[in-house]
Amino acid sequence: MKTIAVINGPNLNLLGEREPERYGGETLSGINARIAAAAAGLGADCTFFQSNVEGEIVTAIQRAGGADGIILNAGAYTHYSIAIRDAVSAVSAPVAEVHLSNVAAREEFRHTSVIAPVCRGIIAGFGGDSYLLALRALV
Ligand code: DQA
């Protein structure tokens, strides 16, 4: 059985109530339930972690380093956290960077991801389905 770690960063705990016109009305636990169901169908097992704290996300990536894949939405840290980028570089698990919104179509500061160059790939703009597409890609 493949193991996939799903790691979410700051403010993603507020999904459902946070700017629903941008991020949709689905909660993080609703998205996680959909990921878990899809993973079962693919013969994979997922773990779920969310934190608003940069260092805790670094530790979660390190702990998931031996997984078969990591789905990472680092939220705003995507755009400037060298510590999270270094954690992604340090682990052997392939990392899929995901975003609910199409960051390329938003403010210019969101066009840069310091994490993307060390990820296996990026999926953005498909709401909660971005995570499901990443799961399928990693498995
Ligand atoms: C986000 C995009 C980021 O720019 C933003 O800071 C978020 C959410 C997304 O999933 O679309 O918190 O990662």
Side-chain angles (χ1 to χ4, degrees):
M1 173 145 320
K2 296 216 155 108
T3 56
I4 305 290
V6 182
I7 299 174
N8 278 286
N11 299 305
L12 293 161
N13 55 312
L14 297 181
L15 285 179
E17 57 185 88
R18 173 194 185 198
E19 300 180 74
E21 64 291 348
R22 187 180 300 287
Y23 295 116
E26 202 175 8
T27 62
L28 185 58
S29 56
I31 292 172
N32 287 347
R34 287 208 291 139
I35 298 169
L42 292 168
D45 197 27
C46 290
T47 60
F48 298 96
F49 178 83
Q50 187 277 329
S51 175
N52 295 322
V53 180
E54 185 179 25
E56 290 179 1
I57 297 165
V58 168
T59 301
I61 293 167
Q62 291 178 3
R63 288 204 176 123
D68 294 298
I70 298 174
I71 298 171
L72 174 64
N73 185 349
Y77 286 137
T78 302
H79 312 301
Y80 67 94
S81 174
I82 306 302
I84 292 176
R85 176 196 167 113
D86 285 351
V88 170
S89 287
V91 297
S92 55
V95 177
E97 175 180 327
V98 307
H99 299 285
L100 295 118
S101 64
N102 178 1
V103 282
R106 298 182 60 190
E107 304 95 321
E108 206 162 331
F109 65 86
R110 294 185 207 275
H111 298 181
T112 300
S113 167
V114 297
I115 296 167
V118 292
C119 287
R120 177 66 70 88
I122 313 161
I123 298 171
F126 298 99
D129 289 344
S130 291
Y131 293 86
L132 299 180
L133 293 164
L135 172 71
R136 190 166 281 278
L138 287 172
V139 170

